[in-house]
Amino acid sequence: EAQVTQNPRYLITVTGKKLTVTCSQNMNHEYMSWYRQDPGLGLRQIYYSMNVEVTDKGDVPEGYKVSRKEKRNFPLILESPSPNQTSLYFCASRHQQQQGGEQFFGPGTRLTVL
Amino acid sequence: GDSVTQMEGPVTLSEEAFLTINCTYTATGYPSLFWYVQYPGEGLQLLLKATKADDKGSNKGFEATYRKETTSFHLEKGSVQVSDSAVYFCALRGRQGAQKLVFGQGTRLTINP
């Protein structure tokens, strides 16, 4: 089954404790991205990657890091989480060349930073 | 920059009512337009899309027409069901900024039996 998986689905942590949210897709998509969803703001892009070893900032990259060492994986790293990073996070992927193509989303990771 | 504005929710309707969720956009050039749906506890799923002016996207009884003259992509359904209760997001992908989707703020829809 074609899918995007994220782990963990739920995470409660404390300020300053480094964490990683994993994302993996099995569709051989070139393009992957991370979004955060906050009430009244919709989804905002954090980082994206157009292919292996190619990453770039989205609209709200502060406090986040990413890496793309393999085509299927795109982890999101919070080196020193803060309470304002409490949010619902989505990973997504699609074929790079399809401007009108569907973007597939993972099930989401709900993060709470105390 | 590109932006999407959706009608504010929440929206509550009775089963079999007619649904319209308004969406307007600002973008340079000719963006592709999308409606995504998020059911409780799940990720976003593509509901329908349109890639050029006057295209009509449709799926599961939902429709939306790409209106360039009014920069709109309103979502409609003639008879809603309880199972349509979800959050709906309008989004665009611009030609120039094709690396990301730009989302509206989402509209929460609740259908009562």
Side-chain angles (χ1 to χ4, degrees):
Chain A
E1 180 190 355
Q3 60 182 350
V4 179
T5 57
Q6 294 178 228
N7 282 290
R9 294 289 311 277
Y10 303 90
L11 180 59
I12 301 174
T13 189
V14 296
T15 299
K17 185 175 181 181
K18 181 179 178 180
L19 66 92
T20 299
V21 183
T22 64
C23 172
S24 183
Q25 50 94 5
N26 62 1
M27 295 168 279
N28 201 36
H29 287 164
E30 299 83 12
Y31 179 85
M32 297 184 74
S33 63
W34 277 101
Y35 294 85
R36 59 178 288 173
Q37 180 182 2
D38 300 291
L41 297 177
L43 279 76
R44 295 175 293 167
Q45 191 181 56
I46 303 170
Y47 268 93
Y48 66 94
S49 169
M50 293 169 61
N51 215 322
V52 175
E53 302 292 0
V54 181
T55 63
D56 208 346
K57 297 177 181 178
D59 294 321
V60 288
E62 295 77 20
Y64 304 95
K65 285 176 56 177
V66 293
S67 69
R68 187 90 182 273
K69 293 183 169 50
E70 304 166 286
K71 196 172 187 179
R72 63 184 293 126
N73 296 324
F74 190 45
L76 179 69
I77 303 156
L78 285 72
E79 294 270 3
S80 182
S82 62
N84 64 11
Q85 292 177 298
T86 292
S87 187
L88 181 57
Y89 292 86
F90 289 101
C91 182
S93 72
R94 68 174 171 85
H95 282 299
Q96 172 66 17
Q97 276 67 37
Q98 295 179 3
Q99 195 267 351
E102 179 177 358
Q103 191 153 216
F104 292 82
F105 285 81
T109 295
R110 185 167 294 281
L111 172 65
T112 302
V113 183
L114 302 174
Chain B
D2 297 348
S3 66
V4 175
T5 303
Q6 285 180 238
M7 68 183 286
E8 293 204 16
V11 174
T12 302
L13 296 172
S14 297
E15 204 165 22
E16 299 183 1
F18 184 85
L19 168 70
T20 299
I21 300 178
N22 289 337
C23 171
T24 57
Y25 67 90
T26 302
T28 54
Y30 300 88
S32 293
L33 301 174
F34 306 83
W35 276 100
Y36 279 83
V37 59
Q38 184 181 30
Y39 298 105
E42 298 184 13
L44 279 73
Q45 303 173 24
L46 180 66
L47 180 60
L48 54 84
K49 69 178 183 182
T51 57
K52 61 182 188 296
D54 299 325
D55 267 2
K56 177 186 283 187
S58 62
N59 186 24
K60 299 182 180 179
F62 290 90
E63 293 182 340
T65 301
Y66 190 143
R67 302 283 188 202
K68 189 170 186 338
E69 64 276 13
T70 54
T71 62
S72 65
F73 193 54
H74 305 321
L75 183 68
E76 297 182 335
K77 187 174 185 181
S79 177
V80 292
Q81 306 300 314
V82 171
S83 57
D84 294 326
S85 298
V87 180
Y88 292 81
F89 291 93
C90 185
L92 70 83
R93 182 178 299 130
R95 296 286 175 178
Q96 293 183 346
Q99 304 313 325
K100 69 178 180 182
L101 285 170
V102 176
F103 285 89
Q105 70 270 38
T107 302
R108 181 174 298 278
L109 173 66
T110 301
I111 307 300
N112 293 321

